Amino acid sequence: MKLTKKQMIITGSVAGLLAVGGITFGVVNHNNTVHAQQVAEQKAADKKEAERKAEKALENKATTALLKAEQEDTSKNISDAKTAVEAVKNKKIKETGLKEIDAINARVKLENEAKAAVQAFQKAADDSSKNKAAHAAVDKLTNSYSKKLKDSLNKQIAASEAQAKVASQAKAAADAKAKSDAAAKAKASEAAAANTAAQSQNDASQSQNQATAGNDTRNYVSNGAVNQGYGSSNAGSSNTAGGGSSNYTGGGTSSAGNSSAGSSNTNNNQGNTNSGSNHVHDGSIGDLNQNESDAGKEGAGNAINKNPGDKW
């Protein structure tokens, strides 16, 4: 079928309209797609940024908690730090934080051991082994956060060492004094024992001398008594009325008789004769003295009686 010119114009116009409409639709559709994609991308970016910010906040919180635990390593602070580190999403940061928690726990263990060693030394400051253990435990505190505690513990050790030195010097002085006192006491005891022995020896010697002197005295008295007995027997006399007298000494006894003729006991004795014999047995001093006494008495009698020619 052959189109007329008018039909051809109308058909061209419709086709043109259709072409323009298609193009417009395509453009609008494309724009809508791009916009939607942009919105999605923006949303994803916003979400990512939000997550990044949240992660950063967790990391900051963990860092702050770790620092607090380092500076003041109480069990609560360490526990809080561990919780904060475990909440971090970043694997590397989390591993680093947990290692730091382990280091803090290890440091706390060393600090507690050092504190215990120092306290043990303070209770026995004269124990050299505990002193050595305290120094060794404190020397292990190499962490910079332990410096304050380390300085404090070293001061405590020094104070205990000073006290131990004073106590040791006092003990040494006391021991020296006790030893000196014991030596002096022992010496005094030895001297006392020696004096006692010497006194006992002197007492024994004195007793022996006294016994010897007593024996000598008894012997002398006994011998003197015997000798005096001889003299006494010579001196003994009895007056009888018969006249005549005799002095006889023998066997340790003496008898003598004096007789006065025709007179009583007056000085006018007439015919008074004294005859006697002195017999000396052993020539002792007592006998000699007695004979001398008898001789004197007889001479005196002769002198009183005035009888010339009388003789012994």
Side-chain angles (χ1 to χ4, degrees):
M1 178 176 139
K2 186 175 179 180
L3 295 174
T4 65
K5 185 175 179 180
K6 184 178 180 179
Q7 290 176 330
M8 291 178 62
I9 295 170
I10 294 171
T11 303
S13 298
V14 171
L17 291 173
L18 290 172
V20 172
I23 293 171
T24 303
F25 176 78
V27 172
V28 171
N29 185 50
H30 173 73
N31 290 338
N32 289 337
T33 303
V34 171
H35 178 70
Q37 185 178 357
Q38 290 176 344
V39 169
E41 289 177 354
Q42 184 63 42
K43 288 181 178 179
D46 292 341
K47 183 180 179 181
K48 188 175 181 180
E49 180 64 18
E51 290 176 351
R52 187 189 69 77
K53 289 180 178 180
E55 175 66 15
K56 188 64 176 179
L58 291 175
E59 292 175 1
N60 291 337
K61 184 178 180 180
T63 301
T64 302
L66 284 171
L67 181 61
K68 186 176 181 180
E70 290 278 13
Q71 294 174 343
E72 189 178 354
D73 50 15
T74 63
S75 58
K76 183 180 183 306
N77 290 344
I78 295 173
S79 177
D80 292 343
K82 184 176 181 181
T83 301
V85 170
E86 288 177 342
V88 174
K89 298 285 194 268
N90 189 304
K91 185 178 179 180
K92 185 177 180 180
I93 293 175
K94 179 185 287 189
E95 290 178 351
T96 302
L98 290 177
K99 287 181 180 178
E100 190 172 348
I101 293 293
D102 291 339
I104 293 174
N105 285 326
R107 190 189 82 206
V108 170
K109 182 180 179 181
L110 292 177
E111 290 175 350
N112 290 334
E113 290 176 351
K115 290 176 184 178
V118 172
Q119 289 176 354
F121 172 59
Q122 287 175 326
K123 293 178 180 179
D126 57 343
D127 191 330
S128 59
S129 62
K130 291 185 178 181
N131 182 4
K132 184 177 179 181
H135 277 291
V138 172
D139 289 341
K140 292 179 180 180
L141 303 181
T142 57
N143 192 289
S144 60
Y145 289 105
S146 299
K147 186 177 184 306
K148 184 177 180 180
L149 175 63
K150 184 175 183 179
D151 293 340
S152 176
L153 293 176
N154 279 328
K155 288 180 181 180
Q156 294 178 38
I157 291 175
S160 295
E161 288 174 341
Q163 292 176 355
K165 184 177 181 180
V166 172
S168 177
Q169 291 174 344
K171 185 178 182 300
D175 291 343
K177 186 178 183 302
K179 186 176 180 181
S180 177
D181 292 344
K185 185 176 181 180
K187 188 175 181 180
S189 297
E190 291 177 359
N195 290 335
T196 301
Q199 185 63 39
S200 298
Q201 184 64 32
N202 290 337
D203 292 344
S205 299
Q206 202 170 39
S207 298
Q208 184 64 33
N209 292 335
Q210 290 176 352
T212 302
N215 290 333
D216 292 342
T217 301
R218 284 192 294 274
N219 291 334
Y220 177 78
V221 171
S222 176
N223 292 332
V226 172
N227 294 331
Q228 185 64 31
Y230 283 114
S232 296
S233 63
N234 291 331
S237 64
S238 62
N239 294 327
T240 62
S245 66
S246 64
N247 292 326
Y248 176 74
T249 302
T253 61
S254 299
S255 63
N258 293 325
S259 64
S260 300
S263 91
S264 61
N265 290 328
T266 64
N267 289 331
N268 295 321
N269 294 326
Q270 296 179 356
N272 210 8
T273 62
N274 291 323
S275 64
S277 62
N278 295 323
H279 184 69
V280 180
H281 291 274
D282 57 3
S284 65
I285 296 173
D287 292 333
L288 294 175
N289 291 336
Q290 187 62 43
N291 289 333
E292 289 175 357
S293 176
D294 291 341
K297 290 179 180 179
E298 292 179 359
N302 290 331
I304 293 172
N305 293 326
K306 296 180 181 180
N307 294 325
D310 287 342
K311 59 185 179 180
W312 293 359

